[in-house]
Protein backbone atom coordinates (compact mmCIF):
# COMPACT_ATOMS: atom_id res chain seq x y z
CA UNK A 1 0.00 0.00 0.00
CA UNK A 2 1.09 3.57 -0.65
CA UNK A 3 1.19 6.27 2.02
CA UNK A 4 -1.90 7.84 0.48
CA UNK A 5 -3.75 4.53 0.87
CA UNK A 6 -2.45 4.10 4.44
CA UNK A 7 -3.59 7.67 5.15
CA UNK A 8 -7.13 6.82 4.09
CA UNK A 9 -7.12 3.72 6.31
CA UNK A 10 -5.78 5.73 9.25
CA UNK A 11 -8.37 8.46 8.74
CA UNK A 12 -11.17 5.86 8.62
CA UNK A 13 -9.80 4.21 11.78
CA UNK A 14 -9.81 7.60 13.52
CA UNK A 15 -13.51 7.92 12.84
CA UNK A 16 -14.58 4.33 13.54
CA UNK A 17 -12.12 2.39 15.73
CA UNK A 18 -13.14 2.13 19.39
CA UNK A 19 -9.71 1.13 20.76
CA UNK A 20 -7.58 4.23 20.44
CA UNK A 21 -4.31 2.40 21.11
CA UNK A 22 -4.91 0.40 17.91
CA UNK A 23 -5.09 3.64 15.94
CA UNK A 24 -1.76 4.81 17.37
CA UNK A 25 -0.24 1.39 16.68
CA UNK A 26 -1.35 1.63 13.04
CA UNK A 27 0.17 5.10 12.75
CA UNK A 28 3.48 4.05 14.28
CA UNK A 29 3.69 0.86 12.19
CA UNK A 30 2.78 2.34 8.81
CA UNK A 31 4.13 5.87 9.19
CA UNK A 32 6.34 6.42 12.22
CA UNK A 33 8.82 3.69 11.41
CA UNK A 34 9.09 4.46 7.67
CA UNK A 35 12.02 6.68 6.70
CA UNK A 36 10.39 7.66 3.38
CA UNK A 37 7.35 9.06 5.20
CA UNK A 38 9.59 11.10 7.48
CA UNK A 39 11.58 12.40 4.50
CA UNK A 40 8.37 13.33 2.62
CA UNK A 41 6.98 15.26 5.60
CA UNK A 42 7.87 18.93 5.84
CA UNK A 43 8.46 20.61 9.22
CA UNK A 44 6.12 23.42 10.25
CA UNK A 45 7.24 26.35 12.38
CA UNK A 46 4.09 26.18 14.44
CA UNK A 47 0.55 24.89 14.24
CA UNK A 48 -1.65 27.03 16.50
CA UNK A 49 -4.58 24.60 16.47
CA UNK A 50 -2.53 21.69 17.80
CA UNK A 51 -0.61 23.92 20.22
CA UNK A 52 -3.90 25.14 21.68
CA UNK A 53 -5.31 21.60 21.90
CA UNK A 54 -2.21 20.35 23.71
CA UNK A 55 -2.29 23.32 26.10
CA UNK A 56 -5.99 22.86 26.86
CA UNK A 57 -5.48 19.15 27.48
CA UNK A 58 -2.51 19.73 29.82
CA UNK A 59 -4.33 22.49 31.73
CA UNK A 60 -7.25 20.11 32.27
CA UNK A 61 -4.76 17.72 33.87
CA UNK A 62 -3.39 20.53 36.06
CA UNK A 63 -0.08 20.69 34.22
CA UNK A 64 1.85 23.90 33.69
CA UNK A 65 2.02 24.83 30.01
CA UNK A 66 4.38 27.78 30.08
CA UNK A 67 7.18 25.69 28.59
CA UNK A 68 5.12 23.74 26.03
CA UNK A 69 7.14 22.90 22.93
CA UNK A 70 5.44 21.59 19.82
CA UNK A 71 7.27 19.87 16.95
CA UNK A 72 5.09 19.11 13.92
CA UNK A 73 5.41 18.18 10.26
CA UNK A 74 2.90 17.94 7.42
CA UNK A 75 2.64 15.10 4.95
CA UNK A 76 1.25 17.27 2.16
CA UNK A 77 -0.09 14.44 0.00
CA UNK A 78 -2.81 13.60 2.52
CA UNK A 79 -2.96 16.70 4.75
CA UNK A 80 -1.74 14.68 7.72
CA UNK A 81 -0.07 16.80 10.39
CA UNK A 82 1.94 14.80 12.92
CA UNK A 83 4.40 15.46 15.70
CA UNK A 84 5.04 15.60 19.40
CA UNK A 85 4.77 17.98 22.31
CA UNK A 86 6.82 18.36 25.47
CA UNK A 87 5.72 20.19 28.61
CA UNK A 88 7.35 20.45 32.02
CA UNK A 89 6.49 16.98 33.34
CA UNK A 90 5.05 15.10 30.37
CA UNK A 91 5.20 14.58 26.65
CA UNK A 92 3.02 13.13 23.96
CA UNK A 93 2.41 12.54 20.28
CA UNK A 94 -0.38 13.68 18.03
CA UNK A 95 -1.59 13.56 14.48
CA UNK A 96 -4.43 15.35 12.73
CA UNK A 97 -6.11 15.27 9.32
CA UNK A 98 -6.70 18.81 8.11
CA UNK A 99 -9.52 18.00 5.66
CA UNK A 100 -11.67 15.86 7.95
CA UNK A 101 -10.70 17.74 11.14
CA UNK A 102 -10.08 14.61 13.20
CA UNK A 103 -6.99 13.65 15.18
CA UNK A 104 -5.50 11.61 17.99
CA UNK A 105 -3.32 12.66 20.89
CA UNK A 106 -1.36 10.34 23.16
CA UNK A 107 0.17 11.42 26.42
CA UNK A 108 2.23 9.56 28.96
CA UNK A 109 0.57 8.90 32.28
CA UNK A 110 1.60 11.27 35.03
CA UNK A 111 0.86 8.67 37.70
CA UNK A 112 1.57 5.24 36.19
CA UNK A 113 5.01 4.64 34.73
CA UNK A 114 4.87 3.44 31.12
CA UNK A 115 1.12 3.88 30.68
CA UNK A 116 -0.24 6.00 27.83
CA UNK A 117 -3.53 7.88 27.59
CA UNK A 118 -5.19 8.44 24.22
CA UNK A 119 -7.61 11.18 23.21
CA UNK A 120 -9.46 11.39 19.92
CA UNK A 121 -10.48 14.90 18.95
CA UNK A 122 -12.72 16.48 16.35
CA UNK A 123 -12.40 20.12 15.37
CA UNK A 124 -15.41 22.02 14.14
CA UNK A 125 -14.89 23.61 10.74
CA UNK A 126 -16.10 27.22 10.95
CA UNK A 127 -15.09 28.27 7.46
Amino acid sequence: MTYKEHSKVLERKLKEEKKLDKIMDYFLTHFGEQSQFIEDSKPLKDYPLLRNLAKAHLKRLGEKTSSLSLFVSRFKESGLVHGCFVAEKCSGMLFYFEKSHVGLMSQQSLTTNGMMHYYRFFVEDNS
Side-chain angles (χ1 to χ4, degrees):
M1 286 175 76
T2 66
Y3 287 122
K4 194 169 189 173
E5 292 167 327
H6 279 300
S7 292
K8 288 179 183 178
V9 172
L10 180 63
E11 193 169 9
R12 182 178 44 76
K13 284 181 175 290
L14 266 171
K15 294 175 183 176
E16 299 171 1
E17 177 64 55
K18 302 279 189 244
K19 296 184 177 183
L20 302 182
D21 60 325
K22 289 188 178 211
I23 301 169
M24 185 58 75
D25 183 59
Y26 188 89
F27 173 77
L28 292 173
T29 300
H30 297 285
F31 295 92
E33 298 174 358
Q34 306 298 324
S35 60
Q36 191 63 46
F37 171 71
I38 295 167
E39 290 173 20
D40 290 345
S41 295
K42 304 297 180 218
L44 300 172
K45 279 192 169 187
D46 197 5
Y47 204 88
L49 169 68
L50 296 181
R51 174 177 295 284
N52 291 337
L53 282 169
K55 275 188 169 184
H57 166 67
L58 292 170
K59 279 184 182 177
R60 188 176 62 85
L61 294 175
E63 280 297 302
K64 295 179 183 176
T65 61
S66 57
S67 67
L68 178 72
S69 297
L70 182 67
F71 307 94
V72 293
S73 296
R74 176 187 286 122
F75 184 53
K76 190 174 184 177
E77 190 172 328
S78 63
L80 173 62
V81 177
H82 59 95
C84 64
F85 62 90
V86 179
E88 290 184 24
K89 294 182 181 177
C90 67
S91 62
M93 293 177 34
L94 44 83
F95 56 89
Y96 171 70
F97 282 94
E98 295 174 307
K99 291 178 183 167
S100 60
H101 308 285
V102 61
L104 183 72
M105 183 182 315
S106 68
Q107 177 249 319
Q108 71 187 24
S109 172
L110 299 174
T111 57
T112 308
N113 193 17
M115 186 171 195
M116 297 295 289
H117 297 286
Y118 300 95
Y119 306 92
R120 180 182 356 231
F121 59 90
F122 300 89
V123 177
E124 200 172 301
D125 182 13
N126 293 322
S127 56

